[in-house]
Amino acid sequence: MRSSSAEASDEVAILTPAEAKAAAELATSLAQRYSSVDDEDLLCDLPFHASKLPLRAQRFLRRFALADRRGFCIVKGHVMDAARIGPTPADWRGMARPGPEFPEEILLLLYAALLGEPFGWVTQQDGHLVHNTFPIKEHEYEQLGSGSRELLTWHTEDAFHPYRGDYLILASLRNPDRVATTVAELDVSALSPEDLGLLFQERFRIVPDESHRPGNNSSVSASDRRRFANIERLTTDHRPVAVLFGSPTDPYLRLDPYFMEIPEEDLDANRAFRALVEVIDRNLRNIVLEQGDFLFVNNHRAVHGRAPFTARYDGTDRWLKRVNVTTDLRKSRDMRATAASRLIG
Ligand SMILES: O=C(O)CCC(=O)C(=O)O
Ligand SMILES: [Fe+2]
């Protein structure tokens, strides 16, 4: 694996052609052995198969996870067989599962297994474990991964939820228009001690984002309705949370300004929050995920979003695969139907 000198070595790793080929062959052979991404045998066997990923990629990601310092890193250079993968779909509803891009979904899950356990949400993309991100015409102006014309404002993934992921992995199947993902880490030294102290206090409210709403899923069954109600309750609960937590000198982040409310009368909290948003804005970077790039976001150390773009809707649009990863599946047991279920809701 080469690390270009222009890029910090803890940020980008580039697979050699031989490593990329080995990873692709591993994923393709596993796609013949397992039935789908929800196959319990596949989920059980992930760590074993992940140990056959290119060793330097494994080390790079383990260092990223254990250092818990950087907010994101990228492994570049994966082979994407565009002819096999086929056109970018128009909607994730009605996609074949598994589809022709099953090997790429498996590769995503193998990487997930290096960081923790992959999981999904009953209330997101019809409860699929691996998500699809491509522009959907009806969502053009929405604050959704499937939107396009609107800036997807930066956020902690599922910031409103106590069981949100520790990592988010995005795999780029194609991105011909070089649409940028945005990423920012926190420069804590830019905050005053007073603001820092306030941001550690439970004075900020976060409501669920649009992706968890029933309208953005297919028709909802009676049992699922209860699960959407759980999410709705978090909307109406209005329990304030802290936006910074963990180490006082090197804190973790939890915020989604677009979906937040801070009581108007709490002038100090409003001031501290504005300062935090400014500091993050200043650090915001555009990262173009090129075909074959895998982006790993530490959901406690970085926020992310997406630049606006004009979609094509002709089968050649940007297409990412996405999965949430937790280091502690057990903590969400009260919201998963069975111990084996990977879906929270
Ligand atoms: O489209 C992107 O680059 C990122 C969208 C996003 O926020 C997500 O997938 O969670
Ligand atoms: Fe996101």
Side-chain angles (χ1 to χ4, degrees), residues 133 152 155 157 168 170 181 304-306 318 320 322:
T133 300
L152 184 59
H155 54 276
E157 196 64 22
L168 183 71
L170 301 175
T181 303
H304 69 279
R306 194 214 59 239
R318 176 179 189 258
L320 310 181
R322 178 179 95 138

